[in-house]
Amino acid sequence: MNNKLQGKDLINIGIFTAIYFIVIFAAASIGFIPIFIPLISVIVPLVGGIPMMLFFSKIKKFGMLTICGVLLGIIMLLTGMGWWCIPTGLIFGLISDFMMKACDYKNAKREVLIHGVFSMWVIGAFIPIVVTRDAYYQSLLPGYGQEYADTLMAYMPDWILPVLLIAAFVSGLVGGLIGRKIFKKHFERAGIV
């Protein structure tokens, strides 16, 4: 089997990245209400598990999840979410690629765990809120107003990043289980057990 990424692989990456982004973007729209911002780290991996588990059944080569993670980071940058999702997409995509390769791309149960790890890329959207807190707060004021900015900062304390990272991982596991259950017949047909 040729281990280099082919055109078909790149098309699959593009299609599934687009589907995944549309699904998570719709779910993440709840972030317009400040109290729901921390819940994005739960909701995105949960709903994202459905398209990603189908994508996982198509992955047979190293690099597909890394490219997907970087593309997600670039899309997040282009949609105004900052650049932090690019390195987190790269890191968690690369770790996920190594995990997929270790199970020879044929272990649906382990792919649920891999989805949990991959889902942690979403932490990049929250890093600026904590790391560049004052600048982030000031950037919110012109477009959202002081009440929104104050409320958001109250729900996003300095210590929240590890909590959100764990929440993304756990809800990624649940989302992976849901996706696996929905596409069980597809996994069986593909010979992934």
Side-chain angles (χ1 to χ4, degrees):
M1 176 161 107
N2 186 353
N3 288 328
K4 290 186 178 181
L5 293 174
Q6 305 293 319
K8 179 182 174 184
D9 302 316
L10 298 175
I11 290 169
N12 275 331
I13 294 167
I15 289 170
F16 282 100
T17 301
I19 292 169
Y20 179 78
F21 181 76
I22 290 166
V23 168
I24 67 167
F25 185 78
S29 294
I30 65 165
F32 286 111
I33 303 169
I35 192 170
F36 292 124
I37 291 278
L39 290 178
I40 291 173
S41 67
V42 173
I43 293 168
V44 165
L46 199 60
V47 300
I50 297 168
M52 285 307 282
M53 290 309 285
L54 184 58
F55 179 43
F56 282 13
S57 71
K58 307 275 186 202
I59 295 174
K60 305 290 180 228
K61 296 178 184 167
F62 187 86
M64 293 179 77
L65 283 171
T66 304
I67 293 170
C68 178
V70 171
L71 285 175
L72 286 168
I74 292 169
I75 293 169
M76 295 295 280
L77 173 66
L78 295 175
T79 56
M81 297 303 296
W83 60 271
W84 285 97
C85 287
I86 295 173
T88 58
L90 173 67
I91 291 164
F92 293 111
L94 192 59
I95 293 168
S96 299
D97 260 328
F98 279 114
M99 292 173 73
M100 285 289 275
K101 186 176 182 178
C103 70
D104 202 27
Y105 308 99
K106 294 181 183 174
N107 189 323
K109 289 179 183 174
R110 192 174 293 172
E111 289 175 8
V112 170
L113 175 65
I114 295 167
H115 182 259
V117 171
F118 182 80
S119 296
M120 292 190 295
W121 74 269
V122 78
I123 196 70
F126 301 103
I127 291 174
I129 299 172
V130 174
V131 174
T132 59
R133 192 168 187 82
D134 294 333
Y136 190 84
Y137 176 82
Q138 292 300 320
S139 73
L140 289 175
L141 294 175
Y144 293 95
Q146 185 167 356
E147 184 180 351
Y148 179 92
D150 290 342
T151 306
L152 175 63
M153 291 302 157
Y155 287 110
M156 297 295 290
D158 290 338
W159 51 263
I160 201 161
L161 283 181
V163 174
L164 297 178
L165 192 63
I166 293 166
F169 174 72
V170 171
S171 62
L173 295 176
V174 175
L177 288 170
I178 293 168
R180 183 172 179 250
K181 187 165 183 79
I182 289 172
F183 297 115
K184 185 175 183 181
K185 288 181 184 175
H186 189 79
F187 280 104
E188 289 169 355
R189 218 175 314 127
I192 301 169
V193 288

